[in-house]
Amino acid sequence: MKKPFIIFYALIIYAISELVWWGYMLMKLQPERIGMILGEGSMFILIFVVGAYSLHASINKERKLQEQKKNFLLSVTHELKSPLASIKILLQTIQKRTLTKEQLVDFIDKSLLDVERLDDMVENMLLASKIDNRSYTFPKASFNLSVLVDSIVNRLQITKCDCNQQIIDAEIEPKIEITGDKFALTSVVTNLIENAVKYSSPCSAVGVKLFSKDDRVFLEVADQGIGIADNEKTRIFDKFYRVGSEDTRNTKGTGLGLYIVKEVLDKHHASIRVRDNRPAGSVFEVVFGLT
């Protein structure tokens, strides 16, 4: 993209130089109209510069978007290959070796976890696409949010602390009913908890709290991970945006999770904010109004 920018700026400099030159020649030929020439020339240059700057900003924004899409495709490719490779190895082991019943159950459980991981990623991409196309209507109905959050915690729960594994500590107030799109809100809760697990240090606790207070429902997901810089807190909900740079980032992800979270919550007139956790990490707080 550097060459087009060089050509773009060269044309701008050439055009302004020509304008100044012809303005100078015109003032020499008609010195009595110097005031009018300077005024109209200055206004034209101002409009030209503003237009050039706007065009530059649009091109730069498009360039960044294309880079983010490229990174997204690379991330999706990696995210798909990893669980598929794991499932393939597990199935080949089941096929070629004689296993005990316990080993067979363990391998099947691991395969199902990878299948669920793939399913979550595909659902994220489909939901993001529908949100972009405005083809998703967010059908709302009353349901038990406590049961939903508890089921997601149980599905994502890691019960033992081995290498690169975390433990989810949940405090869920029972019988909290809300009205909303259960499918979309399932994606919200899943993305928030998966992000907390993903960005946490090995074996550090991830906290999930669901409670009601003052006619509002609060969902808090806290991690003890790398944290989020203040200048990035307003950008993390942008599509394809991920914390850090592509060179220093070592966590998996597509940059769609928090974008989906924000879009879905906006449709439910709910708010989300992120604050620093103590001593380290981040806390995502979602607030639903019951009225």
Side-chain angles (χ1 to χ4, degrees), residues 70-246:
K70 179 183 176 182
N71 293 331
F72 167 73
L73 291 174
L74 292 173
S75 298
V76 166
T77 301
H78 179 74
E79 290 275 286
L80 286 171
K81 288 180 67 176
S82 181
L84 286 174
S86 175
I87 293 170
K88 183 179 179 181
I89 291 172
L90 290 169
L91 292 178
Q92 286 176 337
T93 304
I94 293 172
Q95 184 183 50
K96 295 178 180 179
R97 294 180 57 185
T98 301
L99 304 174
T100 65
K101 183 177 179 181
E102 290 76 14
Q103 289 175 320
L104 187 61
V105 170
D106 181 54
F107 279 26
I108 292 174
D109 287 342
K110 289 178 178 177
S111 297
L112 288 174
L113 285 174
D114 282 324
V115 170
E116 288 176 350
R117 176 180 164 191
L118 286 170
D119 185 59
D120 286 342
M121 185 168 56
V122 171
E123 291 291 357
N124 265 358
M125 289 188 288
L126 288 175
L127 184 55
S129 177
K130 289 178 180 178
I131 289 172
D132 280 347
N133 296 332
R134 299 182 181 180
S135 60
Y136 192 69
T137 57
F138 294 92
K140 295 179 175 64
S142 179
F143 68 94
N144 191 315
L145 183 61
S146 302
V147 173
L148 174 66
V149 174
D150 185 61
S151 65
I152 294 172
V153 168
N154 289 332
R155 179 167 68 86
L156 300 177
Q157 181 67 271
I158 298 170
T159 56
K160 58 182 179 179
C161 187
D162 295 326
C163 181
N164 294 326
Q165 292 186 321
Q166 292 82 20
I167 298 173
I168 303 173
D169 181 20
E171 298 179 20
I172 301 173
E173 181 181 320
K175 299 180 181 179
I176 293 181
E177 297 276 339
I178 68 168
T179 299
D181 181 348
K182 187 176 181 180
F183 168 75
L185 290 174
T186 298
S187 182
V188 167
V189 178
T190 300
N191 279 312
L192 289 175
I193 297 177
E194 282 187 338
N195 268 9
V197 171
K198 185 190 306 178
Y199 289 101
S200 290
S201 303
C203 299
S204 64
V206 170
V208 178
K209 293 183 180 180
L210 179 69
F211 59 94
S212 59
K213 181 181 178 182
D214 299 330
D215 293 328
R216 293 185 296 174
V217 173
F218 294 81
L219 171 66
E220 294 183 357
V221 180
D223 64 69
Q224 300 175 32
I226 60 176
I228 302 171
D230 290 339
N231 64 328
E232 292 190 297
K233 283 185 173 70
T234 58
R235 301 180 62 193
I236 57 175
F237 299 103
D238 293 344
K239 191 176 182 182
F240 301 133
Y241 186 81
R242 297 184 63 208
V243 174
S245 66
E246 291 300 321

Side-chain angles (χ1 to χ4, degrees), residues 262-273:
K262 186 66 167 62
E263 291 293 321
V264 171
L265 292 177
D266 284 346
K267 296 296 183 181
H268 287 79
H269 304 292
S271 64
I272 183 169
R273 69 186 184 101

Side-chain angles (χ1 to χ4, degrees), residues 11-26:
L11 288 173
I12 289 176
I13 293 171
Y14 174 77
I16 293 177
S17 299
E18 284 292 308
L19 181 63
V20 172
W21 171 252
W22 286 107
Y24 171 73
M25 295 298 294
L26 191 59

